[in-house]
């Protein structure tokens, strides 16, 4: 049978295998809901970026893992071993990376609203670079750095005015975005001029991020054209040479068979060639190039297992299959209408002939994991249900709504399975209640 990704297969007994492991056995061993992560797939995805960057830019390029896609200690260790830097967005992510022993000189601290406490914490921890959203924030960082007696390296986040044609909620590069400072309005130039006069900071270069789940052919080429033209302009006007240009994250992944398969290595090679030509045309040296993939590092390394509850057949209307998790562990359909591939893990060889909405257990009608799924008609209470491609923005966006404990993360590595994040207990749920 055809499966979505090559870390999915079907055993001779008709059960779903993930990274070579029997999902029914894993559900039995660890309970459900259960996040699984394929460690070798994470490593392979990291290597795709690391090698593509090496081939394209030598030591003048580096991919950063965007931890917002999935942040826990083990993932930072893996990413470190694979030679990526990181993009962090909060004191919590910095703390997690630090706990994992990640060298923070290769950390880039984003966020459109860093608090004074965040800024102080990040400086105390030795975060290498700040990515600054706006002028007020720049002032706050400059003041904190002067107080700490350091010169904080930073990039300015700019909005190039690109619409990557992805979901509105995750599109960020347009001029009217809440993120960054716009090139088009002249405010980016003013910010550069201003930054160059500050004593507490060192302006290392520029950042932009146009959106997430990007499949568009030339989105990064168009982005690079605008950003490199800006960089050349700043050089001509102020004699300022940007050392780094971070083009953000965003490559899309396959959630269903309808999604295209991106050849990321080829994409990076094409973008790199485009950037080099643009730099030559503009008469500038290409800065060190950074990129911040999140989803494309971890999404297809993840799979969630649930246990089915009731199947409700509303005569003449529709069918619902309830599972023992929901928008608490995967809010993406509820938030974005995201598509997913769903299997009945023990019935892979049966004909899928029951049309149903797979819904969660939260007290909310919008708690849908995926509508209009076809599963074998025999599916019912006790069946294991697998939702694929859940490695990105599932655990990291999980909540305790309805006081549901968050599932554990179990890593699969060759023959080995091990817990990277333990299951929350009922006691964890009241741990902060006084
Ligand atoms: N860099 C910046 C500045 C970002 O804002 C993001 C994602 C990334 C990198 C990583 O983008 P990726 O490679 O993962 O597409 N929760 C949404 C996605 C939000 C993306 C936020 N920023 C979802 O579940 O689809």
């Amino acid at each position: 049978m055809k499966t979505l990704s090559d870390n999915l297969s079907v055993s001779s007994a008709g059960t779903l295998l993930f990274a070579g492991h029997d999902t029914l056995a894993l559900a039995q061993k660890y309970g459900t809901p259960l996040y699984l992560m394929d460690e070798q797939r994470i490593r392979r995805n990291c290597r795709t970026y690391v090698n593509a960057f090496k081939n394209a830019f030598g030591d003048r390029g580096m991919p950063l893992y965007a931890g917002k896609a999935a942040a826990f200690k083990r993932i930072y260790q893996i990413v470190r071993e694979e030679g990526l830097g990181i993009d962090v967005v909060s004191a919590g992510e910095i703390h997690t990376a630090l706990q994992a022993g990640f060298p923070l000189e290769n950390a880039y601290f984003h966020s459109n609203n860093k608090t004074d406490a965040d800024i102080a914490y990040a400086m105390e921890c030795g975060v290498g670079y700040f990515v600054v959203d706006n002028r007020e924030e720049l002032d706050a960082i400059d003041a904190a750095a002067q107080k700490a007696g350091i010169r904080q390296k930073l990039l300015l986040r700019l909005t190039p005015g690109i619409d990557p044609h992805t979901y509105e909620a995750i599109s960020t590069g347009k001029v009217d975005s809440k993120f960054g400072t716009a090139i088009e309005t002249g405010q980016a130039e003013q910010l550069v001029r201003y930054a160059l006069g500050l004593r507490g900071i060192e302006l290392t270069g520029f950042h932009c991020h146009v959106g997430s789940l990007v499949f568009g052919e030339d989105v990064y080429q168009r982005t690079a054209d605008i950003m490199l033209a800006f960089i050349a302009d700043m050089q001509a006007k102020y004699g300022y040479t940007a050392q780094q240009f971070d083009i953000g994250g965003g490559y899309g992944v396959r959630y269903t068979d309808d999604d295209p398969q991106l050849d990321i290595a080829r994409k990076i090679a094409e973008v790199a060639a485009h950037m080099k030509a643009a730099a030559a045309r503009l008469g500038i040296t290409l800065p060190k190039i950074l990129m911040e993939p999140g989803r494309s590092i971890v999404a297809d390394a993840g799979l969630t297992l649930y246990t089915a509850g009731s199947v409700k057949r509303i005569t003449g209307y529709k069918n619902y299959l309830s599972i023992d998790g929901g928008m608490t562990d995967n809010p993406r359909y509820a938030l974005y209408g995201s598509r997913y591939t769903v299997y009945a893990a023990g019935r892979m060889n049966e004909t899928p002939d029951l049309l149903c909405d797979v819904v969660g257990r939260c007290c909310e009608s919008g708690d849908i994991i995926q509508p209009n799924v076809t599963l074998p008609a025999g599916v019912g209470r006790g069946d294991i249900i697998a939702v694929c491609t859940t490695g990105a923005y599932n655990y990291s966006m999980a909540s305790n709504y309805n006081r549901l404990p968050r599932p554990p993360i179990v890593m699969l590595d060759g023959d080995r399975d091990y817990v990277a994040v333990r299951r929350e207990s009922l006691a964890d749920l009241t741990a902060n209640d006084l």
Side-chain angles (χ1 to χ4, degrees):
M1 110 154 233
K2 194 164 153 269
T3 51
L4 182 67
S5 162
D6 63 7
N7 55 3
L8 292 162
S9 59
V10 178
S11 73
S12 53
T15 62
L16 179 67
L17 303 177
F18 183 54
H21 291 249
D22 191 275
T23 54
L24 297 192
L26 289 165
Q28 178 83 40
K29 179 170 174 184
Y30 293 104
T32 58
L34 174 62
Y35 292 122
L36 297 174
M37 290 210 92
D38 173 355
E39 181 170 331
Q40 289 307 318
R41 177 53 62 99
I42 299 170
R43 290 186 185 277
R44 194 176 97 185
N45 291 339
C46 287
R47 283 171 205 168
T48 298
Y49 276 97
V50 169
N51 293 335
F53 266 69
K54 216 170 263 161
N55 291 339
F57 306 111
D59 61 0
R60 307 256 314 139
M62 181 167 65
L64 314 172
Y65 168 62
K68 69 206 79 178
F72 51 98
K73 277 162 57 178
R74 182 65 189 135
I75 205 119
Y76 285 114
Q77 290 163 353
I78 293 171
V79 162
R80 176 192 184 172
E81 284 164 14
E82 296 300 335
L84 288 84
I86 50 172
D87 144 353
V88 290
V89 294
S90 66
E93 285 188 2
I94 293 169
H95 170 74
T96 310
L98 202 58
Q99 292 288 307
F102 200 94
L104 291 178
E105 64 263 26
N106 285 332
Y108 288 69
F109 183 22
H110 291 69
S111 156
N112 66 308
N113 187 18
K114 301 170 190 70
T115 65
D116 289 343
D118 290 339
I119 292 169
Y121 180 70
M123 282 181 188
E124 201 179 291
C125 294
V127 165
Y129 301 86
F130 282 54
V131 181
V132 179
D133 190 86
N134 57 62
R135 165 133 178 206
E136 286 92 327
E137 193 175 274
L138 185 59
D139 280 333
I141 294 167
D142 178 53
Q146 292 203 39
K147 195 166 143 214
I150 60 166
R151 241 183 137 206
Q152 180 61 52
K153 287 191 266 189
L154 56 83
L155 278 61
L156 298 177
R157 177 168 181 165
L158 308 181
T159 40
I162 292 278
D163 179 357
H165 299 296
T166 169
Y167 299 130
E168 189 59 30
I170 55 176
S171 172
T172 50
K174 293 193 280 180
V175 173
D176 61 359
S177 169
K178 81 163 180 173
F179 296 102
T181 300
I183 293 177
E184 186 189 298
T185 60
Q187 285 161 303
E189 178 174 342
Q190 285 166 18
L191 192 62
V192 173
R193 235 179 21 226
Y194 183 68
L196 290 173
L198 297 178
R199 281 184 300 122
I201 62 120
E202 178 188 336
L203 181 60
T204 316
F206 301 106
H207 167 276
C208 64
H209 170 77
V210 295
S212 197
L213 208 53
V214 173
F215 285 107
E217 222 6 81
D218 61 348
V219 170
Y220 295 96
Q221 280 87 331
R222 286 189 288 131
T223 303
D225 281 344
I226 294 168
M227 293 294 289
L228 291 172
F230 180 79
I231 287 169
D233 196 31
M234 293 306 100
Q235 187 157 318
K237 286 185 175 146
Y238 307 107
Y240 169 68
T241 305
Q243 300 300 316
Q244 299 188 354
F245 165 33
D246 180 343
I247 197 165
Y251 278 129
V253 301
R254 269 161 65 81
Y255 287 101
T256 72
D257 283 326
D258 297 336
D259 293 325
Q261 181 93 53
L262 284 185
D263 179 347
I264 286 177
R266 190 173 57 82
K267 286 266 169 202
I268 290 171
E270 286 168 6
V271 173
H274 187 91
M275 283 178 172
K276 286 175 190 170
R281 208 171 45 242
L282 292 161
I284 56 168
T285 305
L286 193 63
K288 178 171 177 177
I289 302 297
L290 309 170
M291 198 177 220
E292 305 159 349
R295 191 189 312 268
S296 52
I297 299 284
V298 286
D300 64 358
L303 178 112
T304 308
L305 295 178
Y306 302 101
T307 302
S310 57
V311 178
K312 184 174 289 181
R313 293 176 163 87
I314 308 177
T315 314
Y317 288 88
K318 66 191 297 183
N319 305 314
Y320 287 102
L321 172 83
S322 300
I323 45 128
D324 60 351
M327 63 192 295
T328 39
D329 60 79
N330 182 357
R332 296 193 67 256
Y333 180 79
L335 278 172
Y336 320 113
S338 306
R339 300 198 54 207
Y340 279 102
T341 300
V342 183
Y343 297 117
R347 298 174 185 271
M348 297 300 286
N349 292 338
E350 295 177 27
T351 312
D353 47 7
L354 175 76
L355 183 66
C356 60
D357 285 9
V358 174
V359 297
R361 60 182 296 186
C362 298
C363 303
E364 187 154 332
S365 297
D367 176 22
I368 298 170
I369 292 288
Q370 197 62 191
N372 301 320
V373 173
T374 45
L375 293 173
V379 73
R381 195 172 181 89
D383 264 294
I384 299 301
I385 304 297
V387 179
C388 304
T389 330
T390 56
Y393 303 110
N394 275 230
Y395 170 72
S396 64
M397 294 178 82
S399 77
N400 290 125
Y401 180 47
N402 290 172
R403 287 252 141 166
L404 295 181
R406 272 177 279 242
I409 301 176
V410 167
M411 308 292 293
L412 307 175
D413 181 28
D415 297 341
R416 212 160 61 101
D417 49 271
Y418 66 94
V419 179
V421 178
R422 70 168 171 76
R423 185 180 295 286
E424 277 179 348
S425 65
L426 295 179
D428 289 333
L429 294 174
T430 50
N432 296 323
D433 295 11
L434 300 176

